[in-house]
Amino acid sequence: QQKVQQSPESLIVPEGGMASLNCTSSDRNVDYFWWYRQHSGKSPKMLMSIFSNGEKEEGRFTVHLNKASLHTSLHIRDSQPSDSALYLCAANTNAYKVIFGKGTHLHVLP
Amino acid sequence: GGIITQTPKFLIGQEGQKLTLKCQQNFNHDTMYWYRQDSGKGLRLIYYSITENDLQKGDLSEGYDASREKKSSFSLTVTSAQKNEMAVFLCASSINRNTEVFFGKGTRLTVV
């Protein structure tokens, strides 16, 4: 049972464009979300975390969280070809574990 | 900072073989994880451990065993390798469920 669902599976944006990725948890016990980025052949690395309702911005990256709907989104403005990667959403659970979604493949075209 | 070391980097096994993957971390983290990643897909949790000698099953535990003899090490055993188990196994650690998870570089398993 996949408790962290991501959409879309794949996303193509032009260089300089805005990429928007979505993630929802079906587990009401989740209280932290993370976004990880994984370049091809590498391990995932954390981009941003969020646990409060609202928005958090770091450079070109903005994360939103709606705790009532357990929905988070990641927005990348001025997308660069180097942003092309697999983006993974993660959430904690009340069972002391962190689970990941299936990911969104982002392709930024020069 | 710290590092998570996984050995071996590449593992080739035969169908039906028992195979062991090892992981060491020097972050002094309490929680350790084993995830499986099939090509280009997300991460599926196999086993995790919240402290030394603790073991908890993830969603994909069938066909695997794990062992956490020390705080710094966590090993995973594939009890009987199957043809469809060509994947990358990622070891990870964190302070607890509310903190960032750090990953090792992975063990790539191929079953022939």
Side-chain angles (χ1 to χ4, degrees), chain B residues 42-112:
Chain B
L43 308 183
R44 291 187 285 172
L45 183 62
I46 306 172
Y47 268 97
Y48 65 107
S49 165
I50 62 173
T51 188
E52 185 178 328
N53 292 318
D54 174 74
L55 284 177
Q56 310 279 344
K57 291 183 179 181
D59 292 332
L60 200 66
S61 62
E62 191 168 331
Y64 301 94
D65 285 328
S67 175
R68 180 102 183 262
E69 311 91 348
K70 295 191 295 187
K71 186 175 182 179
S72 61
S73 67
F74 194 28
S75 60
L76 180 73
T77 298
V78 180
T79 55
S80 178
Q82 302 295 314
K83 273 281 187 184
N84 62 359
E85 275 194 305
M86 296 186 195
V88 175
F89 291 83
L90 289 165
C91 177
S93 71
S94 66
I95 296 171
N96 56 45
R97 67 184 275 275
N98 295 336
T99 58
E100 179 182 352
V101 175
F102 294 86
F103 287 87
K105 294 188 175 184
T107 292
R108 185 175 295 274
L109 173 65
T110 302
V111 180
V112 297

Side-chain angles (χ1 to χ4, degrees), chain A residues 36 38 43 92-93 95 98 105, chain B residues 35 37 40 48 97-98 101 104:
Chain A
Y36 283 75
Q38 185 180 25
S43 298
N92 61 2
T93 73
V98 174
H105 286 274
Chain B
Y35 293 94
Q37 186 172 35
Y48 65 107
R97 67 184 275 275
N98 295 336
V101 175

Side-chain angles (χ1 to χ4, degrees), chain A residues 41-103:
Chain A
K42 303 290 187 184
S43 298
K45 285 198 164 42
M46 192 193 76
L47 264 181
M48 294 182 73
S49 62
I50 190 163
F51 58 89
S52 299
N53 256 334
E55 177 181 301
K56 185 174 169 182
E57 182 177 331
E58 290 180 7
R60 297 185 293 110
F61 299 87
T62 303
V63 173
H64 293 268
L65 175 61
N66 180 325
K67 292 192 87 167
S69 60
L70 291 177
H71 178 262
T72 178
S73 56
L74 173 68
H75 306 272
I76 307 171
R77 61 176 173 79
D78 190 25
S79 296
Q80 301 298 307
S82 57
D83 294 327
S84 297
L86 178 65
Y87 288 77
L88 296 160
C89 175
N92 61 2
T93 73
N94 66 339
Y96 300 97
K97 61 186 179 184
V98 174
I99 54 175
F100 286 76
K102 293 185 178 181

Side-chain angles (χ1 to χ4, degrees), chain A residues 5 7 21-22 33 37 39 41 49 67 73 90 110:
Chain A
Q5 304 205 325
S7 64
L21 292 69
N22 297 292
F33 285 92
R37 181 165 71 181
H39 285 110
S49 62
K67 292 192 87 167
S73 56

